[in-house]
Amino acid sequence: MYNTVNFCDYYGFEYMKLRKQLTIPIIKIETDYTTQGAAQLKTRTEAFFENLKAPLTAPPARKHFSTVHPRRLEQYTAGIDSGSTSTNVVILDSKQNIVSFSVLPTGVHVADSAEKALEDALKKAGLSKNQISRTVSTGYGRANIAFRKKDVTEITCHAVGAHFLNPAVRSVIDIGGQDSKIIRLNENGTVLRFVMNDKCAAGTGRFLEMMAQSLGLTLEEMSRCGLQWDEEITISSMCSVFAQSEVVSLIAEDKKLEDIVHGLNLSVASKVIALGGRARMEGEYMITGGVAKNTGVVRAIEEKLSSPVLVPDEPEICGALGAALIAAT
């Protein structure tokens, strides 16, 4: 484990040199001498150690999130993804068919949100809690879910979920509420490397939410608004707060709403591609997380990559799906 000071380029070059020289796995951990980033550091280190163990092999791929009618005497597994914005649950039967899923907002109490999301998924499936044989949790709140059998990082869970959905995927772009991740996979679905943007809201769902509020749009309206545009506007600021100021200035200049939204979509895409450069992304690409429902952002990422990007039918539940699959192993 190579520990450096945050944002010091010198150590970045030294780290890349060591990667080429060493024949053992290595991870760079950046710290800023504060304790606020403990959860993020925990995720990075746990994901690193998880992938030093025997790789988790996902079952044969499913093309769609189709659900099946549950059988009463069967045992089921559940995956719970406790994220900053939403808590997602997937229930699988013994053949890895998706029986039901739930996506609910994460409230003040992580454990309560997990209970409610699981209850919702059980109700949809017509199951009781004692029919769940094993539960695996993931996400930043994973360790606070008391009824879990074990917890696994979202890095590993998104890798397993994406590989299950399409084994051809080699790069997973996960854009959540308050962070984004790039995960490189091999042909077996094992994580080769990963990078995270969890120190800044730029390029995340929260960034888009702030911009939508400034423009007086819902997130759904914003998803469609930037698809037809005339002028290519560049949002130059890397900071969410300053980017919001840029948007206010563009509104004052009477710029078209569609052009501003397209500029914001390109801004998110640029940040994703910059992050992905550190992970050495390669296709096939899949985007997961709530932002994957934003058509404008997906198209902007495809434009930057010069490649199509796969979007699952339900991109928010990929991490919970991976957790449920791990629970079944």
Side-chain angles (χ1 to χ4, degrees):
M1 298 179 68
Y2 184 79
N3 181 218
T4 74
V5 179
N6 256 355
F7 311 119
C8 184
D9 290 339
Y10 169 77
Y11 292 113
F13 288 118
E14 186 179 61
Y15 168 71
M16 292 307 297
K17 183 178 178 181
L18 286 172
R19 281 192 70 96
K20 294 176 182 177
Q21 292 176 343
L22 297 176
T23 57
I24 58 173
I26 181 173
I27 182 174
K28 182 171 75 167
I29 300 295
E30 296 180 317
T31 52
D32 57 4
Y33 303 107
T34 67
T35 58
Q36 285 85 352
Q40 293 92 334
L41 292 176
K42 190 170 186 284
T43 295
R44 284 179 167 87
T45 53
E46 285 185 358
F48 179 64
F49 289 127
E50 284 168 0
N51 288 283
L52 290 179
K53 301 174 184 176
L56 295 160
T57 303
R62 310 279 179 185
K63 292 185 179 179
H64 304 287
F65 283 93
S66 56
T67 58
V68 299
H69 193 275
R71 289 171 288 182
R72 293 293 172 189
L73 299 177
E74 190 170 5
Q75 289 294 308
Y76 303 86
T77 59
I80 301 178
D81 183 1
S82 178
S84 60
T85 303
S86 67
T87 299
N88 315 318
V89 171
V90 168
I91 297 176
L92 299 179
D93 66 15
S94 59
K95 294 182 179 179
Q96 282 78 49
N97 293 305
I98 297 173
V99 173
S100 70
F101 64 89
S102 176
V103 177
L104 296 179
T106 299
V108 177
H109 300 292
V110 167
D112 291 344
S113 299
E115 286 276 7
K116 289 177 183 176
L118 180 58
E119 287 172 7
D120 184 54
L122 288 169
K123 184 178 179 181
K124 289 176 180 176
L127 297 172
S128 61
K129 197 171 182 180
N130 60 12
Q131 289 177 272
I132 304 296
S133 61
R134 202 159 183 257
T135 300
V136 168
S137 63
T138 189
Y140 281 137
R142 62 187 180 275
N144 297 316
I145 300 171
F147 57 87
R148 75 193 188 283
K149 181 68 175 179
K150 74 177 204 176
D151 56 83
V152 180
T153 66
E154 54 269 36
I155 305 296
T156 300
C157 287
H158 274 275
V160 172
H163 184 74
F164 175 79
L165 294 172
N166 192 323
V169 170
R170 295 294 175 269
S171 296
V172 181
I173 303 167
D174 174 44
I175 310 179
Q178 293 187 19
D179 70 11
S180 54
K181 312 174 190 71
I182 307 293
I183 309 166
R184 273 281 313 279
L185 310 178
N186 66 10
E187 64 277 6
N188 299 317
T190 303
V191 177
L192 294 176
R193 64 182 65 189
F194 64 89
V195 290
M196 299 174 64
N197 170 33
D198 50 20
K199 297 292 185 184
C200 175
T204 68
R206 180 57 182 153
F207 173 83
L208 291 171
E209 188 179 323
M210 290 170 61
M211 299 307 130
Q213 289 172 356
S214 298
L215 296 169
L217 299 172
T218 66
L219 287 173
E220 186 176 349
E221 289 170 338
M222 192 174 183
S223 172
R224 301 188 303 267
C225 184
L227 299 179
Q228 301 296 327
W229 52 278
D230 296 316
E231 180 186 356
E232 185 162 302
I233 292 175
T234 301
I235 308 294
S236 58
S237 178
M238 295 294 287
C239 172
S240 298
V241 176
F242 293 143
Q244 196 168 26
S245 297
E246 280 192 62
V247 167
V248 172
S249 297
L250 290 167
I251 294 171
E253 293 171 21
D254 203 27
K255 295 291 184 180
K256 283 181 61 179
L257 189 62
E258 293 82 358
D259 295 343
I260 296 173
V261 172
H262 179 64
L264 290 167
N265 292 341
L266 288 176
S267 176
V268 172
S270 297
K271 289 172 176 65
V272 167
I273 300 307
L275 186 67
R278 292 164 54 192
R280 300 179 188 175
M281 279 198 299
E282 61 179 36
E284 300 278 338
Y285 304 96
M286 177 182 284
I287 182 168
T288 63
V291 176
K293 291 186 172 182
N294 187 310
T295 306
V297 170
V298 173
R299 289 192 184 177
I301 291 173
E302 289 179 326
E303 182 182 325
K304 293 285 184 181
L305 288 172
S306 300
S307 174
V309 175
L310 302 171
V311 181
D313 294 341
E314 299 291 339
E316 287 176 294
I317 68 171
C318 188
L321 172 62
L325 288 165
I326 293 169
T329 57

